[in-house]
Amino acid sequence: MKAAIKDDYLAVHFVQRSNWLRAAVLGANDGILSTSSLAIGVAAASDLRDPIILATLAGLVAGALSMAAGEYVSVSSQTDVETADIKREQEELEEMPEIELQRLASIYEQRGLSKETSQLVALELTQKDALAAHVRDELGINEVSQAHPIQAALASGASFTVGGVLPLVVVLFMPIAQMEIYLYGSAILFLAFLGAISAKTGGSPILKPVLRITFWGTVAMGITALIGYLFGVNLA
C-alpha cells in the first residue's frame, strides 16, 4: 500500500497535466476565437447564410490542421534541443567526468546543502546513473516536463476542432438577422466556460482565467467585426 502511494505521489499534483493541458486550452481557445471572429467578419459584410457557413467551415478545417501541424513542429523543435543537450552532456561525462561531478555537486550546494553533503550526494547519484542525474538536475529535463510532439499535436488539433464546431453550429441554426450578436454572445459564453474548465483542471482559481479569456476574446472579435464593417464588402 505504501509503495503504491509512493509511486503515485504526483497524482494529486497538476504539473503532470501542464503539457497536454496547455495544448488543449490553446487549441480550443483558438478554435472558438478565430472561427467566431472569421464568421463575425463575414457576417458583417453579408446578408446571406451561405458565405458565412463557407468561411466558418473553411476556417475550422484549415485552423485545426494548421494548429496540429504547428504544435507538432514547435514541440518537435523542443525535443530536438533536449536530445542534443542530452547527447552533449553524455559526451562531457565521458571526456571530463571529474569536472562534471564537481559541477553536479555545486548545483546541490547552491540549493542549500553543505559542501560535504553535496559532494556525497553527487558521488552517489553519479555512481548510480550519472547521465540521469545531470539531465535532471543540470539540464532540468524530467518525465513531467519532457516534450511529446504527437500528444501535443493531437490535443491541439482535436481541441481546435471542438472549439471551432461551436460557432459553426451557431452559424447553421441561429437567425441570419443580427448573426454577429449571436456569434459574439455564444463565443463569450464558450470562452468563459473554457476558462473555467481549464482553471479547474489545472487546479487554479477560476475568476482570473475567465476574465482574461473573455476580455481578449471581446477585443479580437470586436476588431474583426469593425474590419468587416469598414471595408463594406457586399457578399449578398
Side-chain angles (χ1 to χ4, degrees), residues 62-230:
L65 295 176
S66 175
M67 177 65 72
E71 192 71 21
Y72 179 82
V73 171
S74 174
V75 178
S76 293
S77 298
Q78 179 183 342
T79 303
D80 292 341
V81 171
E82 291 176 352
T83 302
D85 279 345
I86 293 172
K87 183 179 179 181
R88 188 179 301 110
E89 193 63 35
Q90 189 172 19
E91 292 173 352
E92 291 176 352
L93 283 168
E94 294 172 356
E95 295 172 359
M96 44 184 183
E98 289 301 323
I99 295 177
E100 287 298 307
L101 177 63
Q102 294 306 314
R103 184 176 297 170
L104 192 62
S106 68
I107 292 173
Y108 299 138
E109 190 174 352
Q110 290 171 8
R111 291 178 181 175
L113 297 180
S114 66
K115 187 176 183 64
E116 294 75 16
T117 304
S118 298
Q119 290 285 346
L120 180 60
V121 171
L123 181 60
E124 291 188 358
L125 288 177
T126 298
Q127 289 173 345
K128 181 179 180 181
D129 191 337
L131 182 60
H134 282 270
V135 168
R136 180 182 61 251
D137 295 322
E138 185 178 345
L139 302 182
I141 301 173
N142 54 56
E143 292 181 359
V144 173
S145 64
Q146 198 167 16
H148 300 284
I150 295 293
Q151 182 189 62
L154 291 176
S156 291
S159 57
F160 185 100
T161 301
V162 172
V165 164
L166 298 176
L168 179 61
V169 170
V170 174
V171 168
L172 288 172
F173 296 107
M174 296 304 290
I176 191 66
Q178 296 183 321
M179 178 62 76
E180 304 98 306
I181 296 177
Y182 290 117
L183 283 166
Y184 169 76
S186 61
I188 289 299
L189 289 177
F190 297 151
L191 289 172
F193 181 72
L194 173 63
I197 291 296
S198 62
K200 185 69 175 176
T201 306
S204 62
I206 292 177
L207 182 59
K208 188 176 180 179
V210 169
L211 292 177
R212 180 173 58 227
I213 200 171
T214 52
F215 172 77
W216 289 110
T218 297
V219 171
M221 288 183 287
I223 292 174
T224 309
L226 180 61
I227 291 174
Y229 281 115
L230 289 178

